Amino acid sequence: QVQLVESGGGLVQAGESLRLSCAVSGRTFSGYAMGWFRQAPGKEREFVAGSRSSGAGTYYAGSLKDRFTISRDSAKNTVYLQMNSLKPEDTAVYYCALDQTGGRLPERWRYWGLGTQVTVSS
């Protein structure tokens, strides 16, 4: 059984930073795409960042590229999302996902975590 468990969310003030973690069990993610999405109340899930299994590696939502960074630690089978200069509009539940290929559309992804809440005040 493939499981993804997000952690690291919480309440922060605008301008601060936060690093989310996604621990993967059931398989090693080497050779798989990993991604981060977020969903605010009343809105659809939106793409945040992706990490390819090969090639150049990473891609981002255009509005977030300057502030967010996705990375992997293969030894720990964990993917991270570093979020800097957080803004109130970043408030959402953040989800990690795993897929053979992935992409910017949520429906392309096979496995999902349950999410972690990020709340940015001020």
Side-chain angles (χ1 to χ4, degrees):
Q1 181 179 9
V2 176
Q3 295 188 44
L4 290 74
V5 181
E6 302 94 338
S7 62
L11 175 63
V12 298
Q13 294 184 334
E16 296 182 341
S17 298
L18 203 61
R19 189 180 74 163
L20 306 181
S21 299
C22 177
V24 179
S25 62
R27 70 178 66 183
T28 58
F29 60 54
S30 178
Y32 293 90
M34 295 295 301
W36 287 96
F37 293 78
R38 68 185 185 184
Q39 186 167 19
K43 298 183 179 180
E44 296 183 354
R45 283 177 296 172
E46 66 173 344
F47 171 77
V48 174
S51 177
R52 299 183 178 91
S53 60
S54 62
T58 61
Y59 53 104
Y60 300 85
S63 62
L64 305 177
K65 186 175 182 179
D66 293 339
R67 298 188 294 117
F68 289 15
T69 303
I70 186 172
S71 61
R72 299 185 184 210
D73 185 333
S74 59
K76 297 181 179 180
N77 219 37
T78 299
V79 63
Y80 304 96
L81 181 68
Q82 178 68 44
M83 305 184 293
N84 297 326
S85 301
L86 284 164
K87 305 175 181 179
E89 52 263 44
D90 295 320
T91 295
V93 176
Y94 283 71
Y95 300 89
C96 66
L98 179 151
D99 191 76
Q100 181 177 341
T101 302
R104 294 177 180 269
L105 299 177
E107 54 265 34
R108 293 182 59 88
W109 295 79
R110 178 67 179 87
Y111 298 101
W112 293 84
L114 296 179
T116 184
Q117 177 71 48
V118 173
T119 302
V120 184
S121 65
S122 300

